[in-house]
Amino acid sequence: MRRVLVTGGGSGIGRAIAQAFADEGDAVTISGRRKEALEETNGGRGMTCVACDVTDEAQVAALFGEPFDVVIANAGAGAPMKMRDMPLAQWNSIINVNLTGVFLTFRAALQTMQTGGRLIAMASTASLQGGPNISAYVASKHGVLGLVRALATEVAREGITCNAVCPGFVDTPMGDAAAEGVAKRFGISQEEATARIVSGNPMRRMIRPEEVVAAVKFLASPEASMVNGHALSVSGGEV
Ligand code: NAD
């Protein structure tokens, strides 16, 4: 039985990952800011639910009393805005959650992680390409991929791997918020906004959380022991 930690486990992709590992018999810990959301994810599966803001160094360190075999740094946030209008506070907030949160999570994990350990960051196609009105998000997610590529070379000799999963537009609360933003900006319906967003995807549809889970499960598996520093795009061929 592996010990698995998923940050941002109270919704969306993190919830789907946590439930999939728990349903396979792994010992899963989920962390997030809202305890009720974590309990909803748990739904009687026996997960350990811990309140933790990934930007808080002490709270993150406290997650790692015991070593984990698989650590999935999934918590993330985004708020679309043109860069020329963006307050410094918004920039800092997105970089703190998406990039510094991964740094704090992986650094704390490495204090106790053993040979065979797996560090997996939820990056994005925004780690691989740019786009309008999401400069802080893109910068943070490019940073996450840089961190993953660098750390992979540091931990390789310890038999630990560090990889990134890079999904395109996924059907989650964050995906809904992105579509809402586009709908508002262009005065169109939520469905039209979703269609506009997925028009850049060769498969012309949103990605399902389970499709991201499959990539995470592969990177966490013994079969992926030689996959290290990789950016695994789950984007229907968009990137
Ligand atoms: P989501 O909003 O459902 O999940 C994000 C989770 O992170 C939420 O549970 C939120 O509460 C948590 N979180 C945010 N700030 C936090 C903080 N400071 N401390 C702890 N937890 C915090 O959205 P999602 O789509 O499931 O996103 C999960 C990850 O996938 C994110 O890193 C996101 O950037 C990435 N991603 C999402 C998409 C998409 O289209 N939905 C695409 C590519 C990558």
Side-chain angles (χ1 to χ4, degrees), residues 8 11-13 33-34 52-55 74-76 97 122-124 137 141 167-170 172-175:
S11 62
I13 296 169
R33 290 165 304 174
R34 294 162 301 133
C52 170
D53 183 322
V54 293
T55 67
N74 165 80
V97 177
M122 195 51 60
S124 169
Y137 187 78
K141 292 294 186 179
F169 187 51
V170 188
T172 67
M174 184 183 280

Side-chain angles (χ1 to χ4, degrees), residues 89-172:
Q90 182 167 327
W91 169 271
N92 283 338
S93 159
I94 291 174
I95 298 290
N96 274 339
V97 177
N98 292 357
L99 180 54
T100 308
V102 177
F103 159 69
L104 291 174
T105 303
F106 285 176
R107 187 186 63 172
L110 284 170
Q111 308 308 312
T112 49
M113 187 170 259
Q114 311 283 311
T115 298
R118 297 279 192 270
L119 299 168
I120 300 170
M122 195 51 60
S124 169
T125 48
S127 301
L128 304 165
Q129 64 182 5
N133 308 320
I134 49 170
S135 56
Y137 187 78
V138 167
S140 68
K141 292 294 186 179
H142 271 64
V144 167
L145 184 51
L147 180 155
V148 162
R149 286 174 167 153
L151 185 57
T153 64
E154 280 183 33
V155 296
R157 292 289 291 276
E158 297 165 46
I160 294 171
T161 65
C162 180
N163 290 289
V165 177
C166 300
F169 187 51
V170 188
D171 190 4
T172 67

Side-chain angles (χ1 to χ4, degrees), residues 169 194 198-199 201-208 211 235-236:
F169 187 51
T194 302
V198 300
S199 67
N201 186 305
M203 296 214 180
R204 299 285 191 277
R205 68 164 174 82
M206 291 172 93
I207 293 140
R208 293 187 287 273
E211 293 169 322
S235 68

